[in-house]
Amino acid sequence: MQNTDNNTVERELELRLVLSPERAVPVPARLAYRTDDPYAVHITFHVGSDHPVNWTFARELLVEGVFRACGHGDVRIWPTKVEGRNVVLMALSSPDGDALLEAPSAQVSAWLERTLRAVPPGTESERLGMDDGLAELLATTVITDELWLRDPWPSDESLDDEL
């Protein structure tokens, strides 16, 4: 199932949770990209529990990981072949445990291309509304500048005059 509205690019696919070199189990997952969060990708894993597992990391990391090994720490991604299939491996680490997931390269790449069409690389900051926020912040600065220029602590001399 693929769902795309003007703000979200989603794709459901089956990943494989690698338990050992000989054993992997299927894990339904949903890839999601939101144009209002343009630097991130969101992956939801349905692991058979009542609550799905959600991971969020940089879109740029996944884009690079399709072509070459990248990442460190909690998220590491690299391309490889498993039984003749092109896959992307994602090693995820958290305080709750570690997981190695295998995703089909073609499906991940096709979904990433759709995210890159929705928000081309280098244009992400335009989606954040930072220019509007900065303009608003600077407009209110004029008012606060008047307060800032006032002396918050009157000098001792002015207190003497009032006594």
Side-chain angles (χ1 to χ4, degrees):
M1 176 181 160
Q2 294 183 30
N3 176 22
T4 305
D5 61 30
N6 291 337
N7 300 317
T8 306
V9 179
E10 290 183 332
R11 171 146 198 170
E12 291 190 14
L13 71 158
E14 189 172 276
L15 304 181
R16 292 168 40 95
L17 175 62
V18 179
L19 302 174
S20 72
E22 303 82 29
R23 185 158 182 257
V25 296
V27 176
R30 172 177 287 155
L31 302 175
Y33 177 77
R34 298 191 314 261
T35 59
D36 64 347
D37 190 9
Y39 290 104
V41 294
H42 307 273
I43 302 178
T44 303
F45 304 104
H46 302 280
V47 291
S49 67
D50 291 339
H51 303 287
V53 176
N54 298 297
W55 276 80
T56 300
F57 51 88
R59 174 176 72 165
E60 186 177 312
L61 186 64
L62 188 55
V63 169
E64 186 177 340
V66 168
F67 298 103
R68 66 185 146 274
C70 65
H72 52 78
D74 294 344
V75 180
R76 292 175 293 122
I77 302 172
W78 66 97
T80 193
K81 278 189 184 255
V82 174
E83 299 171 358
R85 295 175 290 116
N86 289 323
V87 297
V88 176
L89 292 176
M90 293 180 276
L92 307 175
S93 298
S94 78
D96 296 328
D98 299 332
L100 179 61
L101 292 146
E102 178 186 300
S105 291
Q107 291 177 10
V108 172
S109 295
W111 175 78
L112 278 171
E113 285 178 29
R114 291 174 41 224
T115 75
L116 296 170
R117 281 195 301 272
V119 178
T123 67
E124 294 93 346
S125 64
E126 297 167 16
R127 299 291 181 136
L128 297 177
M130 289 174 59
D131 292 337
D132 295 338
L134 187 57
E136 185 179 323
L137 182 63
L138 292 175
T140 59
T141 301
V142 173
I143 296 167
T144 56
D145 277 350
E146 293 171 15
L147 295 173
W148 180 256
L149 293 175
R150 286 192 219 146
D151 187 359
W153 297 280
S155 68
D156 290 340
E157 294 169 8
S158 62
L159 290 176
D160 290 342
D161 292 341
E162 293 176 6
L163 297 175

